[in-house]
C-alpha cells in the first residue's frame, strides 16, 4: 500500500518533490515505530518487575517456612537434651546412694569374712588333729592310705571294665555273625542266576564232508589263509560234518566261525575273499561287542561309563574264567553287590558299578603277568571312575588294602558267584590233583599228622601233634604253609589255612 502511494506522489509531483515527500513519510513512520517500541518495552518491563516481585515473595515465604522448621527441630532437640540431662542426674543420684550403701555394707562384709576365716582355721586344726589320730591308729600316713585306696579302686574299675568290654565284644560278634549270615543268604536268594559253560574250542557244522576240501583248498592255501587272518587253529579230521575251531580267545573263535559260515554260504572260497570276509566280520563283532556293553549297562542301570570301559564290558561276553562266562559272572556280582549294599545302607550305585567292573582286567591286553585286579584298578583310574570303585576293584583279591566300605562287599559277592554250585567247571582229574597237591603240601612239615582240603580246595585244615608244635609254632606253621601255597600252586580265589592243635587228657575210673 505504501509503495502504491509513493508511486502516485512521484507521478504527481515529479522527481524532487517526490523525493522530499518520501523522506518525510519515512521519518514519520520511523518515529511512530520507535514510540510503539518504547511503549512495548515499558509494558514488558512492568510485567517482568511484577513477576520478579512475585518470585521474591514466594522465595521469601519458602525461606521463612524452612527457618521455622529448623527452629522447631532445634527446640525439640533442646527439649530432648534437657530430658536426658534430668534422667542422667537422677541416675547419678541413685548411683551415689547405692555407693554409700555398699561402702557401709562393705565394712559388715569384711567383718563377716574375718569371722569365717577364723572358723575355717579352727576347722582345719580339728581336721589335722583327727588325721594325726587316724594315722597313729592305722599306722599309715594320709598319702599312703590315699594311695592304697586309689589302687584298690583302679583294680576294681579295671576288672569291671574288662568284664563289660568282653561282654560287649561277645555280643557284637554274635550279632554281627548273625546279621552277616542273614544278609548273605538274602542276597543269594534274591539274585537269579544262569549257568553257562565256555570251552576253548568251537564246532562248525557243515552239510557234507565235500565242503572240507573246499575249505582246505589247493595245497591247503585256503585253510592257511583263514588261520593267518583269524589267528585260530582249524582242525579238519575224520569227524563227520564238523570242523573244530581251537583258540583260547573266544572273540577270535567267533570271528572264525562267522567267517566260515559266510564263506560256505557264499560258495566263493579263496584267499582274497577270505581276507575280505574276515575283515568285515571283525568289524561286525566289534560293533556287537559295543552293543552288548551298552545293553549290559542299561540293564543294570549304570550310567556315565567311559566308552572304552563299555567296550571291555562287551568283550566279557566272549571270555570265560574256569568255565564260567565272565560277563554273566560280572552281572551276577553286580546285582548281588547292589542287594547287599542296600541291606547295609551303603551307596547302591557305586557297589553295582564296582561289581560289574571288578574283573575288567581279565579282558585287557596289558601285561599278563600283572594281576587282573591291579590292571582293572588302573583302567578304572585312567577312565575317571570313583575312588571307592577303584579301590574295590584293586582290593577284591587282597592285592591292595581296602579303604572303603564297598570293597569287602565286592570281594564277598565275587566269591559267592564263583563258589555257587555249577558256576565254574573244571576237569575232574585236574581238580583231584590240585586237592591232593594241596594236602601233600601241608604233610611235608614236621609235627603235622593230618591235612584235609575242604570247600572245593578253598580251605586247608592241618592237624598237628600238641607235643611237637606249641601254640606259637602253630601260628608260624599256618603262615609258612599259606606262603608256600601262594608261591608254588595255582588256584582260583584264595585258600584259608587253619592249623588245629589239640591236647587231650585221658583217665580211667576203675
Amino acid at each position: 500500500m505504501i509503495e502504491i502511494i509513493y508511486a502516485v506522489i512521484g507521478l504527481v509531483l515529479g522527481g524532487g518533490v517526490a523525493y522530499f515527500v518520501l523522506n518525510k513519510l519515512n521519518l514519520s513512520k520511523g518515529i511512530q515505530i520507535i514510540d510503539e517500541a518504547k511503549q512495548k518495552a515499558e509494558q514488558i518491563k512492568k510485567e517482568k518487575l511484577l513477576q520478579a516481585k512475585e518470585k521474591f515473595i514466594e522465595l521469601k515465604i519458602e525461606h521463612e517456612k524452612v527457618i521455622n522448621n529448623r527452629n522447631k527441630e532445634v527446640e525439640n532437640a533442646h527439649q530432648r537434651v534437657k530430658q536426658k540431662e534430668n534422667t542422667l542426674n537422677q541416675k547419678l543420684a541413685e548411683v551415689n546412694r547405692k555407693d554409700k550403701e555398699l561402702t557401709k555394707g562393705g565394712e559388715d562384709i569384711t567383718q563377716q569374712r574375718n569371722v569365717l576365716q577364723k572358723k575355717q582355721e579352727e576347722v582345719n586344726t580339728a581336721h589335722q588333729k583327727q588325721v594325726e589320730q587316724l594315722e597313729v591308729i592305722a599306722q599309715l600316713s594320709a598319702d599312703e592310705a590315699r594311695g592304697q585306696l586309689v589302687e584298690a579302686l583302679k583294680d576294681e574299675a579295671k576288672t569291671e571294665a574288662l568284664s563289660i568290654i568282653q561282654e560287649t565284644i561277645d555280643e557284637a560278634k554274635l550279632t554281627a555273625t548273625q546279621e552277616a549270615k542273614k544278609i548273605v543268604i538274602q542276597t543269594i536268594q534274591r539274585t537269579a542266576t544262569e549257568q553257562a559253560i565256555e570251552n576253548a574250542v568251537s564246532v562248525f557244522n557243515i552239510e557234507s564232508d565235500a565242503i572240507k576240501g573246499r575249505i582246505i583248498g589247493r595245497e591247503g592255501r585256503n585253510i592257511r589263509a583263514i588261520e593267518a587272518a583269524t589267528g585260530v587253529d582249524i582242525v579238519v579230521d575224520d569227524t563227520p560234518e564238523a570242523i573244530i575251531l581251537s583258540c583260547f580267545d573266544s572273540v577270535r573263535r567267533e570271528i572264525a566261525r562267522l567267517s566260515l559260515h559266510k564263506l560256505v554260504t557264499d560258495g566263493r572260497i579263496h584267499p582274497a575273499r577270505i581276507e575280505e570276509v574276515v575283515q568285515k566280520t571283525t568289524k561286525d563283532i566289534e560293533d556287537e561287542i559295543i552293543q552288548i556293553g551298552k545293553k549290559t549297562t542299561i540293564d543294570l542301570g549304570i550310567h556315565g561309563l567311559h566308552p572304552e570301559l563299555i567296550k571291555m564290558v562287551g568283550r566279557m561276553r566272549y571270555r570265560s574264567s574256569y568255565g564260567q562266562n565272565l560277563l554273566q559272572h560280572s552281572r551276577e556280582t553286580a546285582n548281588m553287590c547292589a542287594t547287599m549294599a542296600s541291606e547295609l545302607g551303603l551307596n547302591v550305585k557305586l557297589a553295582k558299578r564296582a561289581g560289574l567292573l571288578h574283573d575288567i582286567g581279565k579282558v585287557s591286553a596289558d601285561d599278563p603277568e600283572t594281576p587282573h585286579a591291579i590292571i582293572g584298578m588302573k583302567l578304572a583310574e585312567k577312565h575317571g571312575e570313583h575312588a571307592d570303585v577303584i579301590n574295590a576293584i584293586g582290593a577284591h583279591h587282597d592285592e591292595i588294602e581296602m579303604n572303603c566300605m564297598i570293597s569287602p562287599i565286592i570281594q564277598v559277592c565275587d566269591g559267592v558267584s564263583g563258589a555257587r554250585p555249577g558256576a565254574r567247571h573244571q576237569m575232574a582229574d585236574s581238580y583231584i590233583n590240585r586237592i591232593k597237591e594241596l594236602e601233600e603240601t601241608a604233610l611235608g612239615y614236621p609235627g603235622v599228622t593230618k591235612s584235609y582240603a575242604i570247600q572245593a580246595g578253598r580251605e586247608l585244615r592241618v592237624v598237628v601233634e600238641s607235643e611237637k608244635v606249641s601254640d606259637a609254632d602253630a601260628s608260624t606253621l599256618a603262615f609258612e604253609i599259606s606262603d608256600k601255597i601262594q608261591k608254588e600252586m595255582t588256584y582260583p580265589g584264595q585258600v584259608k589255612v587253619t592249623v588245629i592243635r589239640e591236647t587231650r587228657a585221658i583217665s580211667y575210673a576203675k
Side-chain angles (χ1 to χ4, degrees):
M1 188 65 182
I2 293 174
E3 287 80 0
I4 294 172
I5 294 172
Y6 288 165
V8 171
I9 293 173
L11 292 173
V12 175
L13 298 178
V17 177
Y19 180 74
F20 177 77
V21 172
L22 288 173
N23 286 336
K24 285 292 185 178
L25 287 173
N26 287 333
L27 182 61
S28 62
K29 183 179 179 182
I31 293 169
Q32 184 179 357
I33 291 171
I34 289 170
D35 292 337
E36 291 177 355
K38 286 181 179 179
Q39 291 176 0
K40 287 182 179 180
E42 289 292 331
Q43 186 178 357
I44 291 170
K45 181 179 179 182
K46 290 179 181 179
E47 290 177 355
K48 294 296 182 183
L49 287 172
L50 288 173
Q51 290 178 357
K53 288 180 179 180
E54 291 176 355
K55 187 67 176 177
F56 175 75
I57 292 169
E58 290 177 358
L59 293 173
K60 183 178 179 182
I61 292 171
E62 291 179 359
H63 181 66
E64 289 176 352
K65 287 181 180 179
V66 172
I67 290 174
N68 291 332
N69 290 333
R70 289 184 179 178
N71 290 334
K72 288 181 180 179
E73 291 178 357
V74 170
E75 184 67 24
N76 292 332
H78 184 64
Q79 292 295 332
R80 287 196 297 271
V81 170
K82 281 186 176 181
Q83 291 178 359
K84 289 182 179 180
E85 186 178 358
N86 294 332
T87 304
L88 289 174
N89 290 333
Q90 293 175 0
K91 289 183 178 180
L92 182 60
E94 183 70 18
V95 169
N96 291 332
R97 184 179 62 79
K98 289 183 178 180
D99 189 17
K100 291 179 180 179
E101 292 178 356
L102 290 173
T103 303
K104 183 179 179 181
E107 296 175 356
D108 297 337
I109 291 171
T110 303
Q111 293 176 359
Q112 293 177 1
R113 187 179 297 139
N114 294 332
V115 173
L116 289 174
Q117 189 173 2
K118 290 179 180 179
K119 289 183 178 180
Q120 182 67 34
E121 290 176 355
E122 293 175 359
V123 170
N124 291 337
T125 303
H127 176 70
Q128 185 65 27
K129 291 180 179 180
Q130 291 178 355
V131 170
E132 291 175 355
Q133 290 176 1
L134 289 173
E135 288 179 353
V136 172
I137 294 171
Q139 295 181 353
L140 289 173
S141 64
D143 293 336
E144 292 175 349
R146 188 181 297 109
Q148 290 183 3
L149 180 61
V150 169
E151 291 297 328
L153 291 175
K154 278 185 179 179
D155 294 338
E156 184 178 354
K158 188 180 295 184
T159 303
E160 291 181 0
L162 289 175
S163 176
I164 294 171
I165 291 171
Q166 188 61 38
E167 291 177 0
T168 305
I169 291 173
D170 293 340
E171 183 180 356
K173 285 182 178 179
L174 179 61
T175 306
T177 303
Q178 292 175 349
E179 290 297 323
K181 288 181 179 178
K182 180 181 176 182
I183 291 172
V184 171
I185 291 171
Q186 288 179 352
T187 302
I188 296 173
Q189 290 176 344
R190 289 170 57 184
T191 304
T193 59
E194 298 178 1
Q195 296 184 5
I197 302 175
E198 296 288 340
N199 299 312
V201 296
S202 297
V203 178
F204 177 66
N205 297 313
I206 55 179
E207 295 179 355
S208 64
D209 290 342
I211 298 177
K212 292 182 179 180
R214 296 176 57 192
I215 292 175
I216 295 173
R218 183 179 299 176
E219 298 178 355
R221 64 176 186 173
N222 289 346
I223 194 171
R224 286 198 301 271
I226 295 173
E227 290 179 345
T230 60
V232 176
D233 292 332
I234 300 177
V235 181
V236 181
D237 54 13
D238 296 336
T239 306
E241 298 181 354
I243 295 176
I244 306 300
L245 308 178
S246 176
C247 180
F248 73 94
D249 190 339
S250 55
V251 176
R252 298 213 299 260
R253 285 207 317 273
E254 184 66 12
I255 292 173
R257 188 185 68 80
L258 293 176
S259 299
L260 279 174
H261 177 72
K262 291 179 181 179
L263 290 169
V264 171
T265 303
D266 184 51
R268 294 177 294 167
I269 305 176
H270 53 82
R273 175 65 177 166
I274 288 170
E275 292 181 359
E276 179 185 349
V277 170
V278 169
Q279 288 179 357
K280 188 175 184 304
T281 305
T282 303
K283 180 65 169 59
D284 294 341
I285 290 293
E286 290 177 353
D287 294 339
E288 183 180 356
I289 285 172
I290 295 174
Q291 293 303 318
I292 291 172
K294 290 181 178 179
K295 184 178 183 301
T296 301
T297 56
I298 291 172
D299 291 344
L300 294 175
I302 297 173
H303 306 288
L305 206 62
H306 192 277
E308 190 63 28
L309 293 179
I310 291 177
K311 186 176 180 180
M312 298 184 78
V313 169
R315 287 184 66 86
M316 289 183 182
R317 169 64 182 80
Y318 300 99
R319 176 75 161 80
S320 61
S321 178
Y322 295 97
Q324 184 181 22
N325 182 268
L326 190 59
L327 180 59
Q328 182 62 34
H329 165 65
S330 298
R331 290 172 63 105
E332 186 177 310
T333 303
N335 287 323
M336 285 194 291
C337 288
T339 304
M340 194 172 290
S342 176
E343 292 290 336
L344 295 172
L346 301 177
N347 193 318
V348 176
K349 292 184 178 180
L350 286 182
K352 185 181 288 188
R353 200 180 189 96
L356 177 64
L357 299 177
H358 78 282
D359 275 344
I360 201 78
K362 289 185 178 181
V363 294
S364 173
D366 292 342
D367 183 12
E369 298 298 326
T370 304
H372 72 276
I374 302 299
I375 296 175
M377 179 186 70
K378 292 180 179 178
L379 286 171
E381 185 178 5
K382 176 182 177 182
H383 297 299
E385 287 297 316
H386 194 277
D388 290 351
V389 175
I390 295 171
N391 181 258
I393 294 173
H396 79 277
H397 283 316
D398 294 323
E399 301 290 348
I400 63 172
E401 185 179 355
M402 298 181 182
N403 57 18
C404 66
M405 293 299 294
I406 67 171
S407 295
I409 294 178
I410 307 304
Q411 187 180 58
V412 169
C413 293
D414 177 46
V416 170
S417 176
R420 173 174 53 78
R424 294 181 174 181
H425 297 266
Q426 291 177 291
M427 297 299 292
D429 293 337
S430 63
Y431 168 78
I432 293 172
N433 290 333
R434 184 170 65 84
I435 295 298
K436 287 182 178 179
E437 185 180 357
L438 192 62
E439 293 179 347
E440 290 172 357
T441 300
L443 290 172
Y445 285 86
V448 177
T449 58
K450 298 177 183 178
S451 65
Y452 303 100
I454 61 176
Q455 294 185 6
R458 293 182 181 273
E459 182 177 355
L460 180 65
R461 292 188 178 176
V462 182
V463 181
V464 299
E465 296 178 7
S466 59
E467 296 81 7
K468 296 181 179 180
V469 180
S470 64
D471 289 337
D473 295 334
S475 300
T476 305
L477 180 62
F479 174 77
E480 291 177 354
I481 293 175
S482 62
D483 187 59
K484 185 175 181 181
I485 293 172
Q486 184 173 349
K487 291 179 179 179
E488 298 180 1
M489 294 188 63
T490 302
Y491 51 92
Q494 60 184 7
V495 178
K496 177 182 177 182
V497 178
T498 304
V499 175
I500 301 172
R501 178 180 179 271
E502 184 181 21
T503 303
R504 294 187 183 185
I506 302 174
S507 180
Y508 297 96
K510 297 181 182 179

